[in-house]
Amino acid sequence: MKPIDRFSYLKNNRVSQDTSSLVQCYLPIIGQEALSLYLYTISFWDNGRKEYLFSSILNHLNFGMDRLLKSLKILSAFNLLTLYQKGDTYQIVIHAPLSSQDFLEHPVYRRLLEKKIGDSAVEDLKVESADGEEIPVSLNQVFPDLAEQGSQEDLGLKKKVANDFDLDHFRQLMARDGLRFADEQSDVLNLFAIAEEKKWTWFETYQLAKSTAVSQVISTKRMREKIAQKPVSSDFSPKETTIIKEAKSKTALQFLAEIKQTRKGTITQTERDLLQQMAGLGLLDEVINIILLLTFNKVDSANINEKYAMKVANDYAYQKIHSAEEAVLRIRERGQKNQAQKSSKPSPTKSNVPKWSNPDYKNETSEETRLELERKKQELLARLEKGGD
């Protein structure tokens, strides 16, 4: 997108100019620049009559192009604006903001607002519940003809918040399974982002969170690692296939316990801490299991070489090794590289040719040593002469 590109507004897309919820709820999160851009679009909306240059927005708001793009992304993320592209032109669709009450019912938006202005300030924004019992009145009672077209719920008249993530049900399952957050505010935001990207329900997101948790603590980093897994096309040997299958079928603690058992050992506390550190890097259990196997194969011991294991773990995290298959391929490639280096090194051979015959030979004998050798040579010659007489 460039300042000389053109845009227009969607026809029949007028929205309310009530700014109370924008200032109360949206502003602390989206910032002044994004709010200014939203108010600009509402004020200059012309029912799609003509096209404008983006430079007109830059000039009016005193923006640079980078700030405009950032503000557009923020407004799109909060479903306040949608930008469509068709060839070299763009179209802006404006959406009405949620009411303050609906905003605070959205668990992720509420978390973001709490992070910005604090829990007590958010609590002050809540609308108090009415006293007494609600007297329900359905549309079917007022308009009997609606009964033939379906129930009120079927007609979609039940209010739902856009992009909702059922955090209450998510928490209920966490309590049932004994899971907890490491940092609730950031974890909730990351969970919501994952659900939105993958178009998952809260329950689908929970299943992945449960399967990748570390010591009953949800790890959104490991969730991302699991999502990033891709099929690996390679001809694995029967031995490699067995290793991969075993690595995928057990937790890191189970895998380590089995290795220790074959070596008549038990898991130490430092080894438990090591598993936690590797999981903290975001590595999945199946990758950690390959690292454990590799490390134990390096030494004939019942104890793991912790420094070597962490060195490999850091390397795998940096190289973005997401699965046991990728870890096995990494080991195979490293082995082939080492073998090639060994075979390319010429073995040193001993020459029978004396050094002094080399034209580049440099005599580094000291003067003192040379005189001593000369003296011994003269003594030897003198004895030979006497023997000859």
Side-chain angles (χ1 to χ4, degrees), residues 121-363:
V122 171
E123 195 65 28
D124 290 341
L125 294 174
K126 285 180 65 176
V127 178
E128 292 187 4
S129 301
D131 295 331
E133 185 179 346
E134 179 185 356
I135 301 175
V137 178
S138 70
L139 282 176
N140 291 340
Q141 290 178 264
V142 184
F143 301 102
D145 292 344
L146 283 178
E148 300 173 5
Q149 301 175 34
S151 67
Q152 181 172 331
E153 189 171 344
D154 293 337
L155 289 171
L157 297 177
K158 188 177 180 182
K159 184 171 64 180
K160 293 181 76 72
V161 178
N163 300 321
D164 195 12
F165 185 90
D166 198 337
L167 189 58
D168 290 335
H169 282 89
F170 196 97
R171 279 207 190 94
Q172 287 173 16
L173 288 190
M174 284 179 64
R176 184 195 70 183
D177 298 326
L179 296 180
R180 64 185 188 279
F181 291 117
D183 180 345
E184 183 170 345
Q185 285 192 338
S186 61
D187 285 345
V188 167
L189 296 179
N190 287 326
L191 288 168
F192 176 76
I194 289 171
E196 194 172 51
E197 288 169 21
K198 302 299 293 181
K199 307 301 180 193
W200 284 348
T201 64
W202 68 269
F203 183 69
E204 289 171 313
T205 311
Y206 177 79
Q207 288 178 310
L208 179 61
K210 181 183 176 182
S211 66
T212 55
V214 181
S215 299
Q216 301 302 102
V217 178
I218 287 175
S219 169
T220 55
K221 191 184 289 187
R222 292 198 351 148
M223 290 175 70
R224 290 283 185 191
E225 287 291 303
K226 191 70 175 177
I227 291 169
Q229 283 186 340
K230 294 178 181 176
V232 176
S233 56
S234 179
D235 295 326
F236 292 107
S237 67
K239 182 180 178 181
E240 289 173 333
T241 303
T242 302
I243 289 172
I244 291 169
K245 185 178 179 181
E246 285 294 306
K248 285 180 172 291
S249 65
K250 296 177 177 66
T251 66
L253 195 62
Q254 291 170 339
F255 197 83
L256 178 59
E258 289 189 5
I259 295 176
K260 298 282 283 190
Q261 190 176 8
T262 61
R263 301 195 176 201
K264 312 297 183 193
T266 57
I267 300 174
T268 65
Q269 185 58 48
T270 54
E271 288 171 337
R272 291 177 186 273
D273 294 340
L274 176 68
L275 296 183
Q276 290 279 70
Q277 288 179 51
M278 290 193 283
L281 294 173
L283 297 175
L284 295 170
D285 280 10
E286 61 188 81
V287 177
I288 294 174
N289 291 342
I290 299 296
I291 295 173
L292 293 174
L293 194 60
L294 174 65
T295 306
F296 272 110
N297 286 340
K298 286 284 181 183
V299 290
D300 184 21
S301 171
N303 296 310
I304 193 167
N305 185 331
E306 294 167 20
K307 287 185 178 179
Y308 179 77
M310 276 308 298
K311 181 181 176 182
V312 177
N314 283 322
D315 180 58
Y316 281 16
Y318 176 72
Q319 297 293 335
K320 301 189 185 305
I321 304 296
H322 304 301
S323 64
E325 290 89 346
E326 291 178 0
V328 168
L329 286 179
R330 175 81 175 165
I331 294 171
R332 186 200 291 178
E333 289 166 5
R334 182 67 63 86
Q336 290 171 347
K337 186 178 179 181
N338 292 340
Q339 191 63 36
Q341 287 175 345
K342 285 180 183 178
S343 59
S344 64
K345 270 188 181 178
S347 55
T349 54
K350 209 168 185 179
S351 175
N352 293 323
V353 180
K355 290 181 181 178
W356 52 263
S357 66
N358 189 334
D360 297 325
Y361 173 72
K362 184 179 179 181
N363 190 348

Side-chain angles (χ1 to χ4, degrees), residues 98-116:
L98 298 175
S99 67
S100 296
Q101 186 172 352
D102 287 345
F103 187 98
L104 296 178
E105 286 178 3
H106 193 295
V108 177
Y109 290 178
R110 183 189 173 97
R111 287 284 179 278
L112 284 169
L113 189 58
E114 287 172 344
K115 205 169 182 180
K116 290 290 184 180

